[in-house]
Amino acid sequence: MSDKKFVTDSGIEINEVYNGLDQTEKPGEFPYTRGVQKDMYRGRLWTMRQYAGFSTAEESNKRYKYLLANGTMGLSVAFDLPTQIGYDSDHKMSEGEVGKVGVAIDSLKDMETLFDGIELEKITTSMTINATASTLLSFYIALAKRQGADIKKISGTIQNDILKEYAARGTYIYPPKPSMRIITDIFEYCSKDVPKWNTISISGYHIREAGSTAVQEIAFTLANAKSYLKAAQEKGLDIDVFGQRLSFFFNAHNNIFEEVAKFRAARRMWAKMAKDMGAKNPKAMMLRFHTQTGGATLQAQQPENNIMRVTLQALAAVMGGTQSLHTNGYDEALSLPTEAAARTALRTQQIIAYESGVVDTVDPMGGSYFVEELTNQIEAAAWAYIEKIDAMGGSVAAIEQGYMQKEIADASYKYQTDIEKGIKTIVGVNKFESEEGVMPPIMRVDDSIRIGQMEKLKQLRNERNNDLVQNGLNNLRQAAVDGSNVMPLIIDSVENYTTLGEIADVFRDVFGEYRA
């Protein structure tokens, strides 16, 4: 508990927590509906992250240093599409996509540049990467070693959630079963060698971006989490140890009350689910989550209105008890965020933290008749979905049968038709339109970025020891075939400057590629 006294601007003292007459649950106690920490933001604010990455590693490095100088507490890396699906920048499939939606990372050389001048032992880094998560994490570990860091002390998160890629997002490479095998290899390796690393961020964010409802977002996310937990247990990992390294990633939309209730329901559900699966350690039952404001809610029309949308969403995340938060730039419906838009997004978090007063008491909406009942109803509806998925044989089976995909598609279709019919109002889009609007500056990534990356790759292949590279790939192929843990061999390979695409191609040869 903090010794600091919290008061309103009128001098009225604020209690750490307020309880209704019939409220028996306490923050920091099972089932954590009211928050995972007793004092929540009184003790420590959420981590203010800004998701960034574009063009080259050099340009992204400048943005990271800018964000750190402006008060960002942790970095969150966006990778370009070729990096996400295992192609080097010089592959024919990469044409037109290099550096566009994130930074291009082809090898350890690029990772060295990306974090040049940034000590990995002193920051936390989140990487939004899934199919190639094992390789990107290996780049990061190899770089930490070169910096002289103790890899047992480095901390951060890889998204590493392949199930939601099949259900909602699409950046998968291999079929579900071998993908799950690689993920559990990461779990096993990190539990011993990189114990502070969060080895998976189970994502509802992209499920919501694809058009799901709030209920579907947490139902499908928790169903996926259950599958990962089972896979880890089958690998022999202890749920009380492994469960502490799980984190979640949720979306925040405009309906403040529904979003707060959603976050509260998700915590309660996960606590019960983990306990039912054998967890005894309280930390293994705590749902810790990162939130990003809703990208799909941003509008190209009257883009300045997005500042208000992002503010509402960030407020919902904070009042819902998030552990870290990224706020979108108001211009992201048009392009990657400009530096000015990224700064405004960060300032939004800082104003909520230091000026709004919502951090002064724990679970500020707890006890509201509306929010408590909404929490109960969202939980009940989400459990109904999970029961259906369990009856199908779990998330992998439900995805293979197309169940999750259809449910999301149906919800997305209804939402869009409600907008088009005027049933749902979107300010500036189907109501309160204006003929003239001020178009903000647009950030563009030039196609010449690919040429530079191709030149770097050519130089890399000429300078590295290609015999060591080939030996490493042969060893990796053998591990993929015989079921050995692939992580140590990926790390060995990247330390010899084997490229991301070369490693992905080994797995493509062994496991094949998934076709929906």
mmCIF file of all heavy atoms in Angstrom, residues 266-307:
data_model
loop_
_atom_site.group_PDB
_atom_site.id
_atom_site.type_symbol
_atom_site.label_atom_id
_atom_site.label_comp_id
_atom_site.label_asym_id
_atom_site.label_seq_id
_atom_site.Cartn_x
_atom_site.Cartn_y
_atom_site.Cartn_z
ATOM 1 N N ALA A 266 -13.171 -10.927 -17.878
ATOM 2 C CA ALA A 266 -12.055 -11.748 -18.360
ATOM 3 C C ALA A 266 -11.149 -12.170 -17.212
ATOM 4 O O ALA A 266 -10.709 -13.329 -17.148
ATOM 5 C CB ALA A 266 -11.250 -10.967 -19.409
ATOM 6 N N ARG A 267 -10.872 -11.254 -16.292
ATOM 7 C CA ARG A 267 -10.025 -11.612 -15.144
ATOM 8 C C ARG A 267 -10.663 -12.711 -14.314
ATOM 9 O O ARG A 267 -10.003 -13.666 -13.896
ATOM 10 C CB ARG A 267 -9.787 -10.371 -14.261
ATOM 11 C CG ARG A 267 -8.571 -9.561 -14.629
ATOM 12 C CD ARG A 267 -8.196 -8.598 -13.522
ATOM 13 N NE ARG A 267 -9.255 -7.641 -13.251
ATOM 14 C CZ ARG A 267 -9.395 -6.458 -13.852
ATOM 15 N NH1 ARG A 267 -8.529 -6.099 -14.775
ATOM 16 N NH2 ARG A 267 -10.387 -5.647 -13.541
ATOM 17 N N ARG A 268 -11.949 -12.548 -14.043
ATOM 18 C CA ARG A 268 -12.652 -13.522 -13.207
ATOM 19 C C ARG A 268 -12.694 -14.898 -13.884
ATOM 20 O O ARG A 268 -12.478 -15.932 -13.248
ATOM 21 C CB ARG A 268 -14.072 -13.015 -12.937
ATOM 22 C CG ARG A 268 -14.833 -13.848 -11.923
ATOM 23 C CD ARG A 268 -15.919 -13.022 -11.256
ATOM 24 N NE ARG A 268 -17.037 -12.736 -12.161
ATOM 25 C CZ ARG A 268 -17.893 -11.729 -11.962
ATOM 26 N NH1 ARG A 268 -17.730 -10.897 -10.952
ATOM 27 N NH2 ARG A 268 -18.894 -11.548 -12.802
ATOM 28 N N MET A 269 -12.959 -14.895 -15.192
ATOM 29 C CA MET A 269 -13.044 -16.151 -15.933
ATOM 30 C C MET A 269 -11.705 -16.881 -15.971
ATOM 31 O O MET A 269 -11.631 -18.093 -15.785
ATOM 32 C CB MET A 269 -13.554 -15.888 -17.350
ATOM 33 C CG MET A 269 -14.996 -15.415 -17.414
ATOM 34 S SD MET A 269 -15.478 -14.953 -19.095
ATOM 35 C CE MET A 269 -15.554 -16.579 -19.873
ATOM 36 N N TRP A 270 -10.636 -16.134 -16.230
ATOM 37 C CA TRP A 270 -9.321 -16.773 -16.315
ATOM 38 C C TRP A 270 -8.908 -17.362 -14.965
ATOM 39 O O TRP A 270 -8.341 -18.460 -14.906
ATOM 40 C CB TRP A 270 -8.266 -15.777 -16.807
ATOM 41 C CG TRP A 270 -6.887 -16.368 -16.793
ATOM 42 C CD1 TRP A 270 -5.841 -16.014 -16.012
ATOM 43 C CD2 TRP A 270 -6.429 -17.469 -17.589
ATOM 44 N NE1 TRP A 270 -4.750 -16.802 -16.277
ATOM 45 C CE2 TRP A 270 -5.082 -17.699 -17.244
ATOM 46 C CE3 TRP A 270 -7.024 -18.256 -18.572
ATOM 47 C CZ2 TRP A 270 -4.323 -18.700 -17.841
ATOM 48 C CZ3 TRP A 270 -6.259 -19.265 -19.167
ATOM 49 C CH2 TRP A 270 -4.933 -19.469 -18.797
ATOM 50 N N ALA A 271 -9.185 -16.648 -13.889
ATOM 51 C CA ALA A 271 -8.839 -17.160 -12.563
ATOM 52 C C ALA A 271 -9.515 -18.500 -12.312
ATOM 53 O O ALA A 271 -8.895 -19.456 -11.831
ATOM 54 C CB ALA A 271 -9.240 -16.140 -11.490
ATOM 55 N N LYS A 272 -10.794 -18.577 -12.672
ATOM 56 C CA LYS A 272 -11.532 -19.831 -12.482
ATOM 57 C C LYS A 272 -11.001 -20.927 -13.404
ATOM 58 O O LYS A 272 -10.847 -22.088 -13.009
ATOM 59 C CB LYS A 272 -13.019 -19.590 -12.745
ATOM 60 C CG LYS A 272 -13.693 -18.691 -11.723
ATOM 61 C CD LYS A 272 -15.133 -18.365 -12.130
ATOM 62 C CE LYS A 272 -15.811 -17.434 -11.129
ATOM 63 N NZ LYS A 272 -17.169 -17.034 -11.581
ATOM 64 N N MET A 273 -10.704 -20.569 -14.654
ATOM 65 C CA MET A 273 -10.224 -21.540 -15.636
ATOM 66 C C MET A 273 -8.872 -22.115 -15.216
ATOM 67 O O MET A 273 -8.651 -23.334 -15.244
ATOM 68 C CB MET A 273 -10.125 -20.865 -17.011
ATOM 69 C CG MET A 273 -9.793 -21.792 -18.150
ATOM 70 S SD MET A 273 -9.684 -20.902 -19.742
ATOM 71 C CE MET A 273 -11.423 -20.625 -20.100
ATOM 72 N N ALA A 274 -7.941 -21.231 -14.835
ATOM 73 C CA ALA A 274 -6.610 -21.694 -14.428
ATOM 74 C C ALA A 274 -6.693 -22.573 -13.183
ATOM 75 O O ALA A 274 -6.004 -23.592 -13.076
ATOM 76 C CB ALA A 274 -5.700 -20.491 -14.176
ATOM 77 N N LYS A 275 -7.541 -22.188 -12.243
ATOM 78 C CA LYS A 275 -7.704 -22.983 -11.022
ATOM 79 C C LYS A 275 -8.252 -24.368 -11.356
ATOM 80 O O LYS A 275 -7.777 -25.380 -10.823
ATOM 81 C CB LYS A 275 -8.632 -22.255 -10.051
ATOM 82 C CG LYS A 275 -8.725 -22.922 -8.680
ATOM 83 C CD LYS A 275 -9.560 -22.086 -7.723
ATOM 84 C CE LYS A 275 -9.586 -22.722 -6.334
ATOM 85 N NZ LYS A 275 -10.390 -21.906 -5.388
ATOM 86 N N ASP A 276 -9.243 -24.407 -12.245
ATOM 87 C CA ASP A 276 -9.832 -25.688 -12.640
ATOM 88 C C ASP A 276 -8.817 -26.588 -13.343
ATOM 89 O O ASP A 276 -8.949 -27.815 -13.322
ATOM 90 C CB ASP A 276 -11.033 -25.463 -13.563
ATOM 91 C CG ASP A 276 -12.249 -24.924 -12.815
ATOM 92 O OD1 ASP A 276 -12.250 -24.985 -11.572
ATOM 93 O OD2 ASP A 276 -13.186 -24.440 -13.477
ATOM 94 N N MET A 277 -7.803 -25.975 -13.975
ATOM 95 C CA MET A 277 -6.789 -26.755 -14.682
ATOM 96 C C MET A 277 -5.607 -27.114 -13.784
ATOM 97 O O MET A 277 -4.608 -27.636 -14.266
ATOM 98 C CB MET A 277 -6.330 -26.000 -15.931
ATOM 99 C CG MET A 277 -7.437 -25.855 -16.965
ATOM 100 S SD MET A 277 -6.903 -25.027 -18.480
ATOM 101 C CE MET A 277 -5.890 -26.306 -19.234
ATOM 102 N N GLY A 278 -5.727 -26.795 -12.496
ATOM 103 C CA GLY A 278 -4.724 -27.264 -11.544
ATOM 104 C C GLY A 278 -3.847 -26.210 -10.914
ATOM 105 O O GLY A 278 -2.974 -26.533 -10.103
ATOM 106 N N ALA A 279 -4.021 -24.936 -11.277
ATOM 107 C CA ALA A 279 -3.162 -23.885 -10.718
ATOM 108 C C ALA A 279 -3.441 -23.706 -9.232
ATOM 109 O O ALA A 279 -4.594 -23.689 -8.799
ATOM 110 C CB ALA A 279 -3.386 -22.569 -11.451
ATOM 111 N N LYS A 280 -2.362 -23.560 -8.463
ATOM 112 C CA LYS A 280 -2.477 -23.279 -7.033
ATOM 113 C C LYS A 280 -1.788 -21.963 -6.679
ATOM 114 O O LYS A 280 -2.151 -21.309 -5.702
ATOM 115 C CB LYS A 280 -1.858 -24.421 -6.216
ATOM 116 C CG LYS A 280 -2.597 -25.754 -6.358
ATOM 117 C CD LYS A 280 -1.944 -26.827 -5.511
ATOM 118 C CE LYS A 280 -2.692 -28.167 -5.620
ATOM 119 N NZ LYS A 280 -2.680 -28.699 -7.004
ATOM 120 N N ASN A 281 -0.794 -21.584 -7.465
ATOM 121 C CA ASN A 281 -0.083 -20.323 -7.248
ATOM 122 C C ASN A 281 -0.983 -19.160 -7.681
ATOM 123 O O ASN A 281 -1.435 -19.120 -8.827
ATOM 124 C CB ASN A 281 1.213 -20.315 -8.071
ATOM 125 C CG ASN A 281 2.089 -19.117 -7.776
ATOM 126 O OD1 ASN A 281 1.615 -18.017 -7.533
ATOM 127 N ND2 ASN A 281 3.397 -19.326 -7.824
ATOM 128 N N PRO A 282 -1.264 -18.202 -6.793
ATOM 129 C CA PRO A 282 -2.146 -17.094 -7.159
ATOM 130 C C PRO A 282 -1.693 -16.339 -8.418
ATOM 131 O O PRO A 282 -2.523 -15.924 -9.227
ATOM 132 C CB PRO A 282 -2.096 -16.177 -5.930
ATOM 133 C CG PRO A 282 -1.763 -17.089 -4.795
ATOM 134 C CD PRO A 282 -0.851 -18.131 -5.382
ATOM 135 N N LYS A 283 -0.369 -16.213 -8.596
ATOM 136 C CA LYS A 283 0.120 -15.464 -9.756
ATOM 137 C C LYS A 283 -0.171 -16.177 -11.071
ATOM 138 O O LYS A 283 -0.220 -15.555 -12.127
ATOM 139 C CB LYS A 283 1.622 -15.202 -9.617
ATOM 140 C CG LYS A 283 1.944 -14.188 -8.529
ATOM 141 C CD LYS A 283 3.416 -13.838 -8.518
ATOM 142 C CE LYS A 283 3.700 -12.762 -7.468
ATOM 143 N NZ LYS A 283 5.152 -12.411 -7.430
ATOM 144 N N ALA A 284 -0.357 -17.489 -11.014
ATOM 145 C CA ALA A 284 -0.701 -18.244 -12.224
ATOM 146 C C ALA A 284 -2.173 -18.083 -12.584
ATOM 147 O O ALA A 284 -2.591 -18.446 -13.680
ATOM 148 C CB ALA A 284 -0.367 -19.715 -12.037
ATOM 149 N N MET A 285 -2.953 -17.538 -11.663
ATOM 150 C CA MET A 285 -4.383 -17.337 -11.916
ATOM 151 C C MET A 285 -4.717 -15.887 -12.245
ATOM 152 O O MET A 285 -5.861 -15.566 -12.534
ATOM 153 C CB MET A 285 -5.193 -17.760 -10.685
ATOM 154 C CG MET A 285 -5.029 -19.208 -10.282
ATOM 155 S SD MET A 285 -6.023 -19.582 -8.810
ATOM 156 C CE MET A 285 -4.836 -20.385 -7.763
ATOM 157 N N MET A 286 -3.711 -15.018 -12.198
ATOM 158 C CA MET A 286 -3.947 -13.606 -12.465
ATOM 159 C C MET A 286 -3.883 -13.321 -13.959
ATOM 160 O O MET A 286 -2.883 -13.621 -14.612
ATOM 161 C CB MET A 286 -2.878 -12.746 -11.773
ATOM 162 C CG MET A 286 -2.945 -12.736 -10.271
ATOM 163 S SD MET A 286 -1.593 -11.712 -9.619
ATOM 164 C CE MET A 286 -1.847 -11.917 -7.850
ATOM 165 N N LEU A 287 -4.937 -12.750 -14.507
ATOM 166 C CA LEU A 287 -4.936 -12.348 -15.910
ATOM 167 C C LEU A 287 -4.315 -10.958 -16.003
ATOM 168 O O LEU A 287 -4.895 -9.962 -15.580
ATOM 169 C CB LEU A 287 -6.361 -12.348 -16.473
ATOM 170 C CG LEU A 287 -6.493 -12.055 -17.966
ATOM 171 C CD1 LEU A 287 -7.641 -12.853 -18.580
ATOM 172 C CD2 LEU A 287 -6.708 -10.577 -18.248
ATOM 173 N N ARG A 288 -3.090 -10.913 -16.500
ATOM 174 C CA ARG A 288 -2.394 -9.642 -16.733
ATOM 175 C C ARG A 288 -2.512 -9.327 -18.213
ATOM 176 O O ARG A 288 -2.280 -10.198 -19.048
ATOM 177 C CB ARG A 288 -0.924 -9.756 -16.322
ATOM 178 C CG ARG A 288 -0.728 -10.060 -14.845
ATOM 179 C CD ARG A 288 0.704 -10.444 -14.508
ATOM 180 N NE ARG A 288 1.121 -11.643 -15.212
ATOM 181 C CZ ARG A 288 2.047 -11.690 -16.156
ATOM 182 N NH1 ARG A 288 2.669 -10.593 -16.530
ATOM 183 N NH2 ARG A 288 2.364 -12.820 -16.735
ATOM 184 N N PHE A 289 -2.854 -8.088 -18.547
ATOM 185 C CA PHE A 289 -3.100 -7.819 -19.962
ATOM 186 C C PHE A 289 -2.599 -6.453 -20.421
ATOM 187 O O PHE A 289 -2.546 -5.496 -19.652
ATOM 188 C CB PHE A 289 -4.592 -7.981 -20.292
ATOM 189 C CG PHE A 289 -5.523 -6.974 -19.653
ATOM 190 C CD1 PHE A 289 -5.973 -5.872 -20.378
ATOM 191 C CD2 PHE A 289 -5.964 -7.141 -18.351
ATOM 192 C CE1 PHE A 289 -6.839 -4.951 -19.801
ATOM 193 C CE2 PHE A 289 -6.842 -6.237 -17.775
ATOM 194 C CZ PHE A 289 -7.277 -5.125 -18.499
ATOM 195 N N HIS A 290 -2.236 -6.431 -21.682
ATOM 196 C CA HIS A 290 -1.912 -5.198 -22.405
ATOM 197 C C HIS A 290 -3.145 -4.810 -23.201
ATOM 198 O O HIS A 290 -3.898 -5.675 -23.664
ATOM 199 C CB HIS A 290 -0.735 -5.443 -23.351
ATOM 200 C CG HIS A 290 -0.475 -4.327 -24.314
ATOM 201 N ND1 HIS A 290 0.048 -3.112 -23.926
ATOM 202 C CD2 HIS A 290 -0.682 -4.235 -25.648
ATOM 203 C CE1 HIS A 290 0.171 -2.329 -24.988
ATOM 204 N NE2 HIS A 290 -0.272 -2.979 -26.040
ATOM 205 N N THR A 291 -3.373 -3.521 -23.344
ATOM 206 C CA THR A 291 -4.496 -3.042 -24.140
ATOM 207 C C THR A 291 -3.993 -2.117 -25.234
ATOM 208 O O THR A 291 -3.057 -1.342 -25.020
ATOM 209 C CB THR A 291 -5.500 -2.253 -23.266
ATOM 210 O OG1 THR A 291 -5.828 -3.023 -22.120
ATOM 211 C CG2 THR A 291 -6.770 -1.945 -24.034
ATOM 212 N N GLN A 292 -4.621 -2.222 -26.389
ATOM 213 C CA GLN A 292 -4.408 -1.236 -27.452
ATOM 214 C C GLN A 292 -5.764 -0.666 -27.832
ATOM 215 O O GLN A 292 -6.762 -1.389 -27.890
ATOM 216 C CB GLN A 292 -3.747 -1.865 -28.680
ATOM 217 C CG GLN A 292 -3.477 -0.854 -29.797
ATOM 218 C CD GLN A 292 -2.671 -1.436 -30.943
ATOM 219 O OE1 GLN A 292 -1.979 -2.444 -30.776
ATOM 220 N NE2 GLN A 292 -2.738 -0.822 -32.102
ATOM 221 N N THR A 293 -5.799 0.614 -28.045
ATOM 222 C CA THR A 293 -7.053 1.234 -28.464
ATOM 223 C C THR A 293 -7.446 0.721 -29.844
ATOM 224 O O THR A 293 -6.597 0.255 -30.611
ATOM 225 C CB THR A 293 -6.937 2.765 -28.448
ATOM 226 O OG1 THR A 293 -5.847 3.179 -29.272
ATOM 227 C CG2 THR A 293 -6.719 3.274 -27.024
ATOM 228 N N GLY A 294 -8.724 0.791 -30.156
ATOM 229 C CA GLY A 294 -9.273 0.092 -31.314
ATOM 230 C C GLY A 294 -8.915 0.693 -32.660
ATOM 231 O O GLY A 294 -9.486 1.712 -33.074
ATOM 232 N N GLY A 295 -8.017 0.046 -33.364
ATOM 233 C CA GLY A 295 -7.636 0.521 -34.692
ATOM 234 C C GLY A 295 -8.800 0.562 -35.656
ATOM 235 O O GLY A 295 -8.929 1.482 -36.473
ATOM 236 N N ALA A 296 -9.688 -0.444 -35.556
ATOM 237 C CA ALA A 296 -10.817 -0.520 -36.483
ATOM 238 C C ALA A 296 -11.852 0.574 -36.237
ATOM 239 O O ALA A 296 -12.704 0.825 -37.087
ATOM 240 C CB ALA A 296 -11.490 -1.895 -36.376
ATOM 241 N N THR A 297 -11.789 1.230 -35.087
ATOM 242 C CA THR A 297 -12.742 2.307 -34.792
ATOM 243 C C THR A 297 -12.297 3.646 -35.369
ATOM 244 O O THR A 297 -13.083 4.596 -35.400
ATOM 245 C CB THR A 297 -12.932 2.487 -33.274
ATOM 246 O OG1 THR A 297 -11.729 3.023 -32.702
ATOM 247 C CG2 THR A 297 -13.293 1.173 -32.596
ATOM 248 N N LEU A 298 -11.042 3.737 -35.786
ATOM 249 C CA LEU A 298 -10.525 5.005 -36.311
ATOM 250 C C LEU A 298 -11.102 5.269 -37.702
ATOM 251 O O LEU A 298 -11.250 4.354 -38.507
ATOM 252 C CB LEU A 298 -8.999 4.972 -36.373
ATOM 253 C CG LEU A 298 -8.283 4.717 -35.044
ATOM 254 C CD1 LEU A 298 -6.783 4.714 -35.248
ATOM 255 C CD2 LEU A 298 -8.676 5.740 -33.992
ATOM 256 N N GLN A 299 -11.395 6.524 -37.961
ATOM 257 C CA GLN A 299 -12.049 6.896 -39.217
ATOM 258 C C GLN A 299 -11.164 7.829 -40.032
ATOM 259 O O GLN A 299 -10.492 8.708 -39.481
ATOM 260 C CB GLN A 299 -13.397 7.577 -38.941
ATOM 261 C CG GLN A 299 -14.337 6.760 -38.071
ATOM 262 C CD GLN A 299 -14.696 5.417 -38.675
ATOM 263 O OE1 GLN A 299 -14.806 5.277 -39.893
ATOM 264 N NE2 GLN A 299 -14.891 4.397 -37.826
ATOM 265 N N ALA A 300 -11.184 7.643 -41.356
ATOM 266 C CA ALA A 300 -10.444 8.535 -42.252
ATOM 267 C C ALA A 300 -11.139 9.881 -42.383
ATOM 268 O O ALA A 300 -10.497 10.900 -42.633
ATOM 269 C CB ALA A 300 -10.290 7.873 -43.624
ATOM 270 N N GLN A 301 -12.484 9.886 -42.217
ATOM 271 C CA GLN A 301 -13.229 11.135 -42.258
ATOM 272 C C GLN A 301 -13.038 11.881 -40.938
ATOM 273 O O GLN A 301 -13.112 11.290 -39.868
ATOM 274 C CB GLN A 301 -14.732 10.871 -42.483
ATOM 275 C CG GLN A 301 -15.054 10.164 -43.780
ATOM 276 C CD GLN A 301 -15.132 8.657 -43.628
ATOM 277 O OE1 GLN A 301 -14.410 8.073 -42.814
ATOM 278 N NE2 GLN A 301 -15.985 8.022 -44.405
ATOM 279 N N GLN A 302 -12.800 13.184 -41.022
ATOM 280 C CA GLN A 302 -12.594 14.020 -39.842
ATOM 281 C C GLN A 302 -11.638 13.332 -38.852
ATOM 282 O O GLN A 302 -11.999 13.013 -37.704
ATOM 283 C CB GLN A 302 -13.936 14.324 -39.159
ATOM 284 C CG GLN A 302 -14.940 15.034 -40.056
ATOM 285 C CD GLN A 302 -16.290 15.256 -39.385
ATOM 286 O OE1 GLN A 302 -16.387 15.313 -38.155
ATOM 287 N NE2 GLN A 302 -17.337 15.398 -40.193
ATOM 288 N N PRO A 303 -10.412 13.052 -39.268
ATOM 289 C CA PRO A 303 -9.496 12.242 -38.449
ATOM 290 C C PRO A 303 -9.213 12.821 -37.067
ATOM 291 O O PRO A 303 -8.891 12.069 -36.136
ATOM 292 C CB PRO A 303 -8.227 12.160 -39.297
ATOM 293 C CG PRO A 303 -8.344 13.258 -40.296
ATOM 294 C CD PRO A 303 -9.790 13.439 -40.554
ATOM 295 N N GLU A 304 -9.367 14.146 -36.907
ATOM 296 C CA GLU A 304 -9.123 14.726 -35.582
ATOM 297 C C GLU A 304 -10.108 14.187 -34.544
ATOM 298 O O GLU A 304 -9.822 14.183 -33.341
ATOM 299 C CB GLU A 304 -9.182 16.262 -35.639
ATOM 300 C CG GLU A 304 -10.544 16.852 -35.962
ATOM 301 C CD GLU A 304 -10.869 16.897 -37.451
ATOM 302 O OE1 GLU A 304 -10.080 16.362 -38.267
ATOM 303 O OE2 GLU A 304 -11.905 17.486 -37.800
ATOM 304 N N ASN A 305 -11.285 13.707 -34.990
ATOM 305 C CA ASN A 305 -12.242 13.099 -34.053
ATOM 306 C C ASN A 305 -11.668 11.852 -33.389
ATOM 307 O O ASN A 305 -12.113 11.441 -32.305
ATOM 308 C CB ASN A 305 -13.541 12.708 -34.772
ATOM 309 C CG ASN A 305 -14.324 13.911 -35.271
ATOM 310 O OD1 ASN A 305 -14.090 15.028 -34.839
ATOM 311 N ND2 ASN A 305 -15.246 13.680 -36.188
ATOM 312 N N ASN A 306 -10.676 11.236 -34.031
ATOM 313 C CA ASN A 306 -10.088 10.009 -33.485
ATOM 314 C C ASN A 306 -9.371 10.255 -32.156
ATOM 315 O O ASN A 306 -9.208 9.320 -31.358
ATOM 316 C CB ASN A 306 -9.121 9.389 -34.494
ATOM 317 C CG ASN A 306 -9.835 8.872 -35.728
ATOM 318 O OD1 ASN A 306 -10.975 8.420 -35.653
ATOM 319 N ND2 ASN A 306 -9.171 8.931 -36.873
ATOM 320 N N ILE A 307 -8.938 11.487 -31.916
ATOM 321 C CA ILE A 307 -8.284 11.792 -30.639
ATOM 322 C C ILE A 307 -9.257 11.523 -29.497
ATOM 323 O O ILE A 307 -8.890 10.950 -28.463
ATOM 324 C CB ILE A 307 -7.792 13.259 -30.611
ATOM 325 C CG1 ILE A 307 -6.711 13.474 -31.679
ATOM 326 C CG2 ILE A 307 -7.258 13.618 -29.227
ATOM 327 C CD1 ILE A 307 -6.266 14.915 -31.833
#
